[in-house]
Amino acid sequence: MTARLDAPPPPVSASASSGAPVTTSYVPVRVMGDGTTAGSRAARRWRSARWPLAVLLLVAIVAGLAALSRPAVSSTPLAPDNAGPGGARALAQVLGDQGVTVEYVTATADAVSRARAGTTLLVTSDLNLLPEQVDALLATDADLVLLEPGYDLLEGATDLSATLGDDWSSPDALRTPECTDPDAVAAESIRSSGFGFTTTGPGSLVCFPGDDSPPDTGAYLVHEGDRRVVALDDAGLLSNARIDEDGNAALALRALGRHETLTWFVPDLLDTTSTGDPAVGAAVLPPWVAVVLVQLLVVALLAALWRGRRLGPLVTEDLPVVVRAAETTRGRGRLYRRSRSRGHAAAGLRAHSADRIASRLGLPRSAAAPALIDAIVRATHRPAEQVAHLLYGPPPADDAALLELARHLDQLESEVFHP
């Protein structure tokens, strides 16, 4: 008689010390085909996955703390949130204290959308701007302040009435305005390391010429037309390291503080936007992305080292077929013969003979040909020309010549080994 495993046994009653009945009943357990249960499988999976999950959780916590604790500053040159020597945070804070709203953007499309009439647009650099981006900036109605502009941006903003200069004056020389612009007169003096601007038509005025500046050339340019355009040939005047020198602060504050809104444009290297285009590239990423990416890379490397298989010691394996060395040699010889590679066969014979002879004579395998020939001549008393022809001569012309070469090499080895 065979009992059914899935049939529950009858309840069992027992009496406790208090006399109350206690009943236990059978609870069926679902057993998998491999002898495990759902609970055992879940426990095994949790044991195998808990360490990776713990590492990922730790990385997420560290990344979150790093993102929250990271100050809202950058290392971008001339950025208004950069407190380093190359940044311009000091100037931006003073402008904010004077009631100027500073809007920091890194995408051309954002700069164009904010540069309206009655505002100021600061362009810190146009070195990596595309032609269509330059055209989009020139099409705005805002007053422009350009730092070290290129030919296209400067000539387009001044209606071809100014261009880049050729000023080789000393950067340490103190320059005075020598013009009637009120902002330049208020600054009184600056030092510039740029090459200046030259006026080529009406409407443009240059200030702060150097001692050796060409005519109509200066470090500061003002163009009055449909809007006011100001250009500085040395962007470092606005940096934290130099803003408090000479009249740099006065000149920068008056040039950038004419309106209540200032769009501070520091172009992003990956930005390709222009009018109406959505921002792409690094401009749309939050500042903590770089930190998180570095941490994820470190985690990936650690996971690869942890989960990667280690190479153990070499294990010898018996070959299914044992091939004799003589058969291998004959097989290679047949291949050379079938392909008519007498030169390769001769080179192999000569190289092996030279190695064996050099070892016999106490020479290294890297010994030069003249040294080996001299040693063989002393050992066999053969002419040097004959030895050189045998070991380093031209390839044989036919099979007979190849056999003859092999016999001569064998004889030469016999003379060396058995003089």
Side-chain angles (χ1 to χ4, degrees), residues 165-193:
D166 190 13
D167 190 354
W168 295 90
S169 301
S170 173
D172 298 327
L174 195 64
R175 303 184 181 207
T176 55
E178 299 186 17
C179 67
T180 59
D181 180 71
D183 297 348
V185 173
E188 296 182 356
S189 64
I190 63 171
R191 288 179 172 86
S192 175
S193 59

PDB file of all heavy atoms in Angstrom, residues 165-193:
ATOM      1  N   GLY A 165      43.212  95.233 -34.218  1.00  0.00           N
ATOM      2  CA  GLY A 165      44.393  96.047 -34.410  1.00  0.00           C
ATOM      3  C   GLY A 165      45.670  95.227 -34.429  1.00  0.00           C
ATOM      4  O   GLY A 165      45.661  93.993 -34.437  1.00  0.00           O
ATOM      5  N   ASP A 166      46.768  95.940 -34.429  1.00  0.00           N
ATOM      6  CA  ASP A 166      48.105  95.329 -34.462  1.00  0.00           C
ATOM      7  C   ASP A 166      48.992  96.097 -33.490  1.00  0.00           C
ATOM      8  O   ASP A 166      49.951  96.743 -33.864  1.00  0.00           O
ATOM      9  CB  ASP A 166      48.665  95.362 -35.880  1.00  0.00           C
ATOM     10  CG  ASP A 166      49.934  94.531 -36.014  1.00  0.00           C
ATOM     11  OD1 ASP A 166      50.209  93.750 -35.089  1.00  0.00           O
ATOM     12  OD2 ASP A 166      50.643  94.686 -37.017  1.00  0.00           O
ATOM     13  N   ASP A 167      48.632  96.021 -32.213  1.00  0.00           N
ATOM     14  CA  ASP A 167      49.296  96.797 -31.167  1.00  0.00           C
ATOM     15  C   ASP A 167      50.250  95.900 -30.394  1.00  0.00           C
ATOM     16  O   ASP A 167      49.828  94.922 -29.775  1.00  0.00           O
ATOM     17  CB  ASP A 167      48.241  97.389 -30.229  1.00  0.00           C
ATOM     18  CG  ASP A 167      48.845  98.402 -29.263  1.00  0.00           C
ATOM     19  OD1 ASP A 167      50.083  98.544 -29.260  1.00  0.00           O
ATOM     20  OD2 ASP A 167      48.084  99.031 -28.519  1.00  0.00           O
ATOM     21  N   TRP A 168      51.544  96.225 -30.446  1.00  0.00           N
ATOM     22  CA  TRP A 168      52.561  95.437 -29.764  1.00  0.00           C
ATOM     23  C   TRP A 168      53.150  96.185 -28.572  1.00  0.00           C
ATOM     24  O   TRP A 168      54.292  95.960 -28.196  1.00  0.00           O
ATOM     25  CB  TRP A 168      53.675  95.062 -30.732  1.00  0.00           C
ATOM     26  CG  TRP A 168      53.215  94.163 -31.831  1.00  0.00           C
ATOM     27  CD1 TRP A 168      52.730  94.536 -33.043  1.00  0.00           C
ATOM     28  CD2 TRP A 168      53.151  92.738 -31.793  1.00  0.00           C
ATOM     29  NE1 TRP A 168      52.372  93.436 -33.782  1.00  0.00           N
ATOM     30  CE2 TRP A 168      52.621  92.313 -33.051  1.00  0.00           C
ATOM     31  CE3 TRP A 168      53.470  91.776 -30.844  1.00  0.00           C
ATOM     32  CZ2 TRP A 168      52.425  90.977 -33.361  1.00  0.00           C
ATOM     33  CZ3 TRP A 168      53.285  90.449 -31.146  1.00  0.00           C
ATOM     34  CH2 TRP A 168      52.764  90.054 -32.389  1.00  0.00           C
ATOM     35  N   SER A 169      52.352  97.045 -27.971  1.00  0.00           N
ATOM     36  CA  SER A 169      52.830  97.807 -26.817  1.00  0.00           C
ATOM     37  C   SER A 169      53.052  96.881 -25.626  1.00  0.00           C
ATOM     38  O   SER A 169      52.510  95.772 -25.550  1.00  0.00           O
ATOM     39  CB  SER A 169      51.819  98.896 -26.454  1.00  0.00           C
ATOM     40  OG  SER A 169      51.619  99.781 -27.541  1.00  0.00           O
ATOM     41  N   SER A 170      53.830  97.352 -24.672  1.00  0.00           N
ATOM     42  CA  SER A 170      54.145  96.552 -23.487  1.00  0.00           C
ATOM     43  C   SER A 170      52.887  96.326 -22.661  1.00  0.00           C
ATOM     44  O   SER A 170      52.132  97.274 -22.394  1.00  0.00           O
ATOM     45  CB  SER A 170      55.202  97.258 -22.647  1.00  0.00           C
ATOM     46  OG  SER A 170      55.390  96.584 -21.423  1.00  0.00           O
ATOM     47  N   PRO A 171      52.621  95.089 -22.230  1.00  0.00           N
ATOM     48  CA  PRO A 171      51.411  94.831 -21.418  1.00  0.00           C
ATOM     49  C   PRO A 171      51.497  95.427 -20.019  1.00  0.00           C
ATOM     50  O   PRO A 171      50.478  95.561 -19.348  1.00  0.00           O
ATOM     51  CB  PRO A 171      51.346  93.306 -21.371  1.00  0.00           C
ATOM     52  CG  PRO A 171      52.745  92.847 -21.587  1.00  0.00           C
ATOM     53  CD  PRO A 171      53.365  93.850 -22.505  1.00  0.00           C
ATOM     54  N   ASP A 172      52.689  95.794 -19.557  1.00  0.00           N
ATOM     55  CA  ASP A 172      52.843  96.364 -18.219  1.00  0.00           C
ATOM     56  C   ASP A 172      52.738  97.876 -18.213  1.00  0.00           C
ATOM     57  O   ASP A 172      52.746  98.487 -17.135  1.00  0.00           O
ATOM     58  CB  ASP A 172      54.196  95.952 -17.631  1.00  0.00           C
ATOM     59  CG  ASP A 172      54.313  94.437 -17.476  1.00  0.00           C
ATOM     60  OD1 ASP A 172      53.271  93.800 -17.209  1.00  0.00           O
ATOM     61  OD2 ASP A 172      55.430  93.905 -17.638  1.00  0.00           O
ATOM     62  N   ALA A 173      52.658  98.464 -19.392  1.00  0.00           N
ATOM     63  CA  ALA A 173      52.597  99.927 -19.462  1.00  0.00           C
ATOM     64  C   ALA A 173      51.212 100.418 -19.053  1.00  0.00           C
ATOM     65  O   ALA A 173      50.195  99.846 -19.438  1.00  0.00           O
ATOM     66  CB  ALA A 173      52.940 100.392 -20.870  1.00  0.00           C
ATOM     67  N   LEU A 174      51.161 101.500 -18.281  1.00  0.00           N
ATOM     68  CA  LEU A 174      49.906 102.089 -17.843  1.00  0.00           C
ATOM     69  C   LEU A 174      49.341 102.956 -18.960  1.00  0.00           C
ATOM     70  O   LEU A 174      50.024 103.852 -19.471  1.00  0.00           O
ATOM     71  CB  LEU A 174      50.129 102.915 -16.578  1.00  0.00           C
ATOM     72  CG  LEU A 174      48.883 103.305 -15.779  1.00  0.00           C
ATOM     73  CD1 LEU A 174      48.203 102.063 -15.223  1.00  0.00           C
ATOM     74  CD2 LEU A 174      49.262 104.268 -14.654  1.00  0.00           C
ATOM     75  N   ARG A 175      48.091 102.695 -19.343  1.00  0.00           N
ATOM     76  CA  ARG A 175      47.468 103.418 -20.448  1.00  0.00           C
ATOM     77  C   ARG A 175      46.415 104.378 -19.901  1.00  0.00           C
ATOM     78  O   ARG A 175      45.667 104.034 -18.986  1.00  0.00           O
ATOM     79  CB  ARG A 175      46.813 102.435 -21.426  1.00  0.00           C
ATOM     80  CG  ARG A 175      47.759 101.383 -21.992  1.00  0.00           C
ATOM     81  CD  ARG A 175      47.056 100.537 -23.013  1.00  0.00           C
ATOM     82  NE  ARG A 175      47.932  99.494 -23.560  1.00  0.00           N
ATOM     83  CZ  ARG A 175      47.783  98.958 -24.772  1.00  0.00           C
ATOM     84  NH1 ARG A 175      46.785  99.358 -25.548  1.00  0.00           N
ATOM     85  NH2 ARG A 175      48.605  98.040 -25.205  1.00  0.00           N
ATOM     86  N   THR A 176      46.343 105.541 -20.502  1.00  0.00           N
ATOM     87  CA  THR A 176      45.318 106.532 -20.151  1.00  0.00           C
ATOM     88  C   THR A 176      44.285 106.600 -21.263  1.00  0.00           C
ATOM     89  O   THR A 176      44.555 106.182 -22.403  1.00  0.00           O
ATOM     90  CB  THR A 176      45.967 107.898 -19.940  1.00  0.00           C
ATOM     91  OG1 THR A 176      46.724 108.261 -21.120  1.00  0.00           O
ATOM     92  CG2 THR A 176      46.918 107.872 -18.743  1.00  0.00           C
ATOM     93  N   PRO A 177      43.075 107.114 -21.008  1.00  0.00           N
ATOM     94  CA  PRO A 177      41.989 107.035 -21.992  1.00  0.00           C
ATOM     95  C   PRO A 177      42.308 107.715 -23.319  1.00  0.00           C
ATOM     96  O   PRO A 177      42.151 107.107 -24.388  1.00  0.00           O
ATOM     97  CB  PRO A 177      40.818 107.707 -21.278  1.00  0.00           C
ATOM     98  CG  PRO A 177      41.133 107.610 -19.837  1.00  0.00           C
ATOM     99  CD  PRO A 177      42.610 107.648 -19.728  1.00  0.00           C
ATOM    100  N   GLU A 178      42.690 109.020 -23.249  1.00  0.00           N
ATOM    101  CA  GLU A 178      42.942 109.815 -24.454  1.00  0.00           C
ATOM    102  C   GLU A 178      41.748 109.768 -25.412  1.00  0.00           C
ATOM    103  O   GLU A 178      41.909 109.656 -26.628  1.00  0.00           O
ATOM    104  CB  GLU A 178      44.221 109.350 -25.166  1.00  0.00           C
ATOM    105  CG  GLU A 178      45.467 109.487 -24.300  1.00  0.00           C
ATOM    106  CD  GLU A 178      46.741 109.161 -25.057  1.00  0.00           C
ATOM    107  OE1 GLU A 178      46.692 109.146 -26.305  1.00  0.00           O
ATOM    108  OE2 GLU A 178      47.780 108.928 -24.418  1.00  0.00           O
ATOM    109  N   CYS A 179      40.542 109.800 -24.825  1.00  0.00           N
ATOM    110  CA  CYS A 179      39.312 109.860 -25.606  1.00  0.00           C
ATOM    111  C   CYS A 179      38.254 110.545 -24.750  1.00  0.00           C
ATOM    112  O   CYS A 179      38.503 110.894 -23.589  1.00  0.00           O
ATOM    113  CB  CYS A 179      38.851 108.464 -26.045  1.00  0.00           C
ATOM    114  SG  CYS A 179      38.326 107.396 -24.674  1.00  0.00           S
ATOM    115  N   THR A 180      37.067 110.727 -25.318  1.00  0.00           N
ATOM    116  CA  THR A 180      35.999 111.453 -24.614  1.00  0.00           C
ATOM    117  C   THR A 180      34.912 110.545 -24.064  1.00  0.00           C
ATOM    118  O   THR A 180      33.901 111.035 -23.556  1.00  0.00           O
ATOM    119  CB  THR A 180      35.368 112.470 -25.576  1.00  0.00           C
ATOM    120  OG1 THR A 180      34.840 111.767 -26.719  1.00  0.00           O
ATOM    121  CG2 THR A 180      36.396 113.497 -26.038  1.00  0.00           C
ATOM    122  N   ASP A 181      35.069 109.228 -24.143  1.00  0.00           N
ATOM    123  CA  ASP A 181      34.042 108.330 -23.628  1.00  0.00           C
ATOM    124  C   ASP A 181      33.967 108.447 -22.115  1.00  0.00           C
ATOM    125  O   ASP A 181      35.001 108.323 -21.420  1.00  0.00           O
ATOM    126  CB  ASP A 181      34.365 106.897 -24.039  1.00  0.00           C
ATOM    127  CG  ASP A 181      33.326 105.925 -23.538  1.00  0.00           C
ATOM    128  OD1 ASP A 181      32.195 105.945 -24.060  1.00  0.00           O
ATOM    129  OD2 ASP A 181      33.650 105.154 -22.606  1.00  0.00           O
ATOM    130  N   PRO A 182      32.771 108.666 -21.543  1.00  0.00           N
ATOM    131  CA  PRO A 182      32.676 108.861 -20.085  1.00  0.00           C
ATOM    132  C   PRO A 182      33.147 107.655 -19.276  1.00  0.00           C
ATOM    133  O   PRO A 182      33.768 107.829 -18.222  1.00  0.00           O
ATOM    134  CB  PRO A 182      31.178 109.131 -19.857  1.00  0.00           C
ATOM    135  CG  PRO A 182      30.656 109.575 -21.183  1.00  0.00           C
ATOM    136  CD  PRO A 182      31.482 108.853 -22.204  1.00  0.00           C
ATOM    137  N   ASP A 183      32.867 106.454 -19.741  1.00  0.00           N
ATOM    138  CA  ASP A 183      33.298 105.269 -19.008  1.00  0.00           C
ATOM    139  C   ASP A 183      34.815 105.164 -18.979  1.00  0.00           C
ATOM    140  O   ASP A 183      35.404 104.815 -17.945  1.00  0.00           O
ATOM    141  CB  ASP A 183      32.695 104.018 -19.637  1.00  0.00           C
ATOM    142  CG  ASP A 183      31.174 104.013 -19.555  1.00  0.00           C
ATOM    143  OD1 ASP A 183      30.622 104.843 -18.818  1.00  0.00           O
ATOM    144  OD2 ASP A 183      30.551 103.183 -20.253  1.00  0.00           O
ATOM    145  N   ALA A 184      35.450 105.426 -20.099  1.00  0.00           N
ATOM    146  CA  ALA A 184      36.911 105.372 -20.149  1.00  0.00           C
ATOM    147  C   ALA A 184      37.541 106.466 -19.305  1.00  0.00           C
ATOM    148  O   ALA A 184      38.539 106.240 -18.609  1.00  0.00           O
ATOM    149  CB  ALA A 184      37.378 105.471 -21.602  1.00  0.00           C
ATOM    150  N   VAL A 185      36.947 107.647 -19.333  1.00  0.00           N
ATOM    151  CA  VAL A 185      37.482 108.738 -18.530  1.00  0.00           C
ATOM    152  C   VAL A 185      37.352 108.427 -17.042  1.00  0.00           C
ATOM    153  O   VAL A 185      38.253 108.709 -16.247  1.00  0.00           O
ATOM    154  CB  VAL A 185      36.762 110.051 -18.885  1.00  0.00           C
ATOM    155  CG1 VAL A 185      37.189 111.176 -17.940  1.00  0.00           C
ATOM    156  CG2 VAL A 185      37.059 110.438 -20.333  1.00  0.00           C
ATOM    157  N   ALA A 186      36.238 107.786 -16.641  1.00  0.00           N
ATOM    158  CA  ALA A 186      36.054 107.428 -15.237  1.00  0.00           C
ATOM    159  C   ALA A 186      37.049 106.371 -14.784  1.00  0.00           C
ATOM    160  O   ALA A 186      37.455 106.336 -13.614  1.00  0.00           O
ATOM    161  CB  ALA A 186      34.628 106.933 -15.003  1.00  0.00           C
ATOM    162  N   ALA A 187      37.452 105.474 -15.696  1.00  0.00           N
ATOM    163  CA  ALA A 187      38.418 104.430 -15.330  1.00  0.00           C
ATOM    164  C   ALA A 187      39.814 104.988 -15.121  1.00  0.00           C
ATOM    165  O   ALA A 187      40.614 104.422 -14.366  1.00  0.00           O
ATOM    166  CB  ALA A 187      38.440 103.337 -16.398  1.00  0.00           C
ATOM    167  N   GLU A 188      40.172 106.050 -15.827  1.00  0.00           N
ATOM    168  CA  GLU A 188      41.444 106.764 -15.708  1.00  0.00           C
ATOM    169  C   GLU A 188      42.627 105.989 -16.277  1.00  0.00           C
ATOM    170  O   GLU A 188      43.424 106.540 -17.040  1.00  0.00           O
ATOM    171  CB  GLU A 188      41.731 107.140 -14.246  1.00  0.00           C
ATOM    172  CG  GLU A 188      40.731 108.120 -13.651  1.00  0.00           C
ATOM    173  CD  GLU A 188      41.079 108.505 -12.239  1.00  0.00           C
ATOM    174  OE1 GLU A 188      42.069 107.931 -11.692  1.00  0.00           O
ATOM    175  OE2 GLU A 188      40.392 109.366 -11.673  1.00  0.00           O
ATOM    176  N   SER A 189      42.804 104.725 -15.963  1.00  0.00           N
ATOM    177  CA  SER A 189      43.970 103.990 -16.463  1.00  0.00           C
ATOM    178  C   SER A 189      43.715 102.496 -16.397  1.00  0.00           C
ATOM    179  O   SER A 189      43.007 102.012 -15.508  1.00  0.00           O
ATOM    180  CB  SER A 189      45.228 104.347 -15.665  1.00  0.00           C
ATOM    181  OG  SER A 189      45.082 103.943 -14.314  1.00  0.00           O
ATOM    182  N   ILE A 190      44.321 101.759 -17.336  1.00  0.00           N
ATOM    183  CA  ILE A 190      44.283 100.299 -17.350  1.00  0.00           C
ATOM    184  C   ILE A 190      45.601  99.785 -17.912  1.00  0.00           C
ATOM    185  O   ILE A 190      46.403 100.547 -18.477  1.00  0.00           O
ATOM    186  CB  ILE A 190      43.113  99.741 -18.203  1.00  0.00           C
ATOM    187  CG1 ILE A 190      43.291 100.144 -19.667  1.00  0.00           C
ATOM    188  CG2 ILE A 190      41.766 100.171 -17.658  1.00  0.00           C
ATOM    189  CD1 ILE A 190      42.305  99.454 -20.609  1.00  0.00           C
ATOM    190  N   ARG A 191      45.824  98.491 -17.743  1.00  0.00           N
ATOM    191  CA  ARG A 191      46.938  97.807 -18.400  1.00  0.00           C
ATOM    192  C   ARG A 191      46.347  96.674 -19.245  1.00  0.00           C
ATOM    193  O   ARG A 191      45.536  95.907 -18.757  1.00  0.00           O
ATOM    194  CB  ARG A 191      47.921  97.237 -17.378  1.00  0.00           C
ATOM    195  CG  ARG A 191      48.757  98.289 -16.664  1.00  0.00           C
ATOM    196  CD  ARG A 191      49.698  97.639 -15.650  1.00  0.00           C
ATOM    197  NE  ARG A 191      50.635  98.589 -15.092  1.00  0.00           N
ATOM    198  CZ  ARG A 191      50.399  99.370 -14.041  1.00  0.00           C
ATOM    199  NH1 ARG A 191      49.201  99.300 -13.448  1.00  0.00           N
ATOM    200  NH2 ARG A 191      51.309 100.202 -13.593  1.00  0.00           N
ATOM    201  N   SER A 192      46.786  96.558 -20.481  1.00  0.00           N
ATOM    202  CA  SER A 192      46.202  95.580 -21.399  1.00  0.00           C
ATOM    203  C   SER A 192      47.304  94.801 -22.102  1.00  0.00           C
ATOM    204  O   SER A 192      48.336  95.364 -22.474  1.00  0.00           O
ATOM    205  CB  SER A 192      45.309  96.274 -22.432  1.00  0.00           C
ATOM    206  OG  SER A 192      44.839  95.353 -23.381  1.00  0.00           O
ATOM    207  N   SER A 193      47.038  93.509 -22.303  1.00  0.00           N
ATOM    208  CA  SER A 193      47.981  92.646 -23.021  1.00  0.00           C
ATOM    209  C   SER A 193      47.438  92.232 -24.383  1.00  0.00           C
ATOM    210  O   SER A 193      47.985  91.335 -25.019  1.00  0.00           O
ATOM    211  CB  SER A 193      48.282  91.393 -22.198  1.00  0.00           C
ATOM    212  OG  SER A 193      47.083  90.667 -21.932  1.00  0.00           O
TER     213      SER A 193
END
